[in-house]
Amino acid sequence: MVQQFGFNFILALAVTAALSGCKNDTQANAPPSQVLARVNGDEITVNQLNYLLASQKSVDDQTRQRMLENLVTQDVLVQKAVEAKLDRDPRVLSSIEFSRRQILAQAMLSKEVGTPQPVTDADVQKFYAERPELFEKRNIYTLDSYLVANNTLTDAVKKQLDSVHTPQDMRATLQAAGITFREAQERTPPEKMPQQLLKVVTPLKAGDVAIVVQNDQAMLVLLDSVQPVPASLKDATPAIQAYLQQERAQKLAEQKIETLKKAAKVEYVQQFAAAAPQAAPAAATPANNNDHIKSGMGLK
């Protein structure tokens, strides 16, 4: 089977290798049992593989082999990069230095933050009870959305929208008014919706239309269908625990950053705008504990 790698993947491998620089003496003289592969005599060791595997949710032999192939690809690219003297390129050196500083900053913050206060059963039950739209009364919504210029929604058009109940009705109404629109349909759970949109959609019934305005654009939302898919407290507990744990770690990280900055002597020689609140780096929280955020609350 031929493996294909995107450019971003290859670049990430190359930068990672550049960050580590040349292999240390321990790796260079690793015992034979620790050596997994050689690329032009350059050894790839068990320690390097274990570092990659630590970020995987589950590990089997196929995963190990895939990660080993990634390391081989990395080594081939790094050797070619050094041969081409890219390790002396000012832009590459700047990227390496920025990445080094970022890694050190995140490592220090992780050390400062430590382990947040554990999430209790009472915390989980409170979160569950306060958000029925996400759990006990959870629905999967099929939405038809129509993006238009806000200034095209005259009072007359808005009045006509009262009689719109299907996508066909919506298209006919907008076309008759000469309004240009972009149409999309999405089937989505509440945890993946922006809070503003969820508040608008929750009270709607199938066939209802709502208008969400943002700056000079407006989104006409037609609720096509609603499918009740409640989540029990038992099913939701792992996702809620993970969410609350990350939320606490994030808040603690922000507090630590503020404390450290106040203790430091910071002098701005130039400022381009008023300072905005700064969020803590995501890596300050334990690795892989934000998967439930990336996929909503992790519910199905």
Side-chain angles (χ1 to χ4, degrees):
M1 181 181 295
V2 178
Q3 287 187 312
Q4 297 184 14
F5 300 94
F7 175 76
N8 289 340
F9 161 77
I10 293 174
L11 180 61
L13 288 178
V15 171
T16 302
L19 279 171
S20 62
C22 297
K23 292 182 173 61
N24 58 36
D25 292 339
T26 303
Q27 289 178 318
N29 300 287
S33 60
Q34 296 291 311
V35 177
L36 299 175
R38 292 186 178 89
V39 180
N40 298 324
D42 196 5
E43 294 179 345
I44 296 174
T45 67
V46 171
N47 286 340
Q48 291 171 275
L49 179 63
N50 287 341
Y51 178 81
L52 291 184
L53 293 177
S55 63
Q56 301 298 307
K57 290 183 178 180
S58 60
V59 176
D60 54 21
D61 285 343
Q62 287 187 341
T63 303
R64 292 186 180 90
Q65 185 61 37
R66 187 174 70 253
M67 293 296 101
L68 179 56
E69 292 294 339
N70 290 352
L71 287 170
V72 169
T73 300
Q74 180 191 72
D75 221 293
V76 169
L77 288 169
V78 170
Q79 289 182 29
K80 284 296 182 181
V82 173
E83 183 181 317
K85 294 183 171 54
L86 291 179
D87 56 334
R88 304 178 190 178
D89 185 296
R91 291 175 298 178
V92 174
L93 290 173
S94 294
S95 295
I96 292 173
E97 176 59 17
F98 179 84
S99 297
R100 186 187 73 86
R101 290 170 60 86
Q102 186 75 358
I103 290 169
L104 285 173
Q106 291 173 343
M108 188 65 233
L109 188 56
S110 294
K111 181 180 178 181
E112 286 286 325
V113 169
T115 303
Q117 184 179 357
V119 176
T120 66
D121 290 342
D123 294 330
V124 173
Q125 292 169 4
K126 182 174 183 291
F127 188 90
Y128 181 90
E130 289 177 346
R131 293 163 177 80
E133 72 280 3
L134 293 178
F135 304 111
E136 190 175 7
K137 297 181 180 179
R138 180 173 178 264
N139 295 314
I140 303 296
Y141 300 94
T142 301
L143 303 173
D144 295 293
S145 61
Y146 305 82
L147 192 64
V148 302
N150 187 32
N151 59 11
T152 62
L153 295 181
T154 62
D155 291 340
V157 171
K158 291 178 181 178
K159 187 174 182 179
Q160 292 174 11
L161 291 177
D162 291 338
S163 59
V164 169
H165 301 292
T166 67
Q168 293 79 10
D169 293 341
M170 180 67 78
R171 294 189 204 103
T173 299
L174 295 177
Q175 289 168 356
I179 297 175
T180 302
F181 61 91
R182 292 208 310 269
E183 180 180 358
Q185 185 181 77
E186 184 177 14
R187 186 174 184 273
T188 182
E191 62 271 13
K192 290 190 177 182
M193 283 190 199
Q195 282 299 309
Q196 180 188 6
L197 180 59
L198 181 58
K199 289 179 181 179
V200 171
V201 169
T202 300
L204 298 182
K205 297 178 181 178
D208 286 350
V209 176
I211 302 174
V212 180
V213 177
Q214 185 171 13
N215 300 325
D216 59 347
Q217 291 188 317
M219 183 170 66
L220 308 180
V221 180
L222 171 62
L223 181 56
D224 191 54
S225 65
V226 180
Q227 178 187 357
V229 186
S232 68
L233 176 60
K234 179 181 178 181
D235 291 339
T237 291
I240 295 174
Q241 287 174 331
Y243 176 82
L244 292 177
Q245 193 72 16
Q246 170 153 330
E247 184 181 53
R248 290 180 180 182
Q250 185 74 14
K251 288 181 179 178
L252 186 56
E254 290 170 357
Q255 292 170 0
K256 289 290 184 180
I257 287 175
E258 191 62 28
T259 300
L260 291 172
K261 287 180 71 175
K262 285 181 178 178
K265 183 180 179 181
V266 180
E267 179 184 358
Y268 291 98
V269 179
Q270 290 188 51
Q271 273 193 293
F272 303 101
Q278 185 177 4
T285 55
N288 295 328
N289 73 344
N290 64 339
D291 290 345
H292 58 287
I293 301 295
K294 295 177 182 176
S295 58
M297 284 292 294
L299 303 173
K300 296 180 180 179

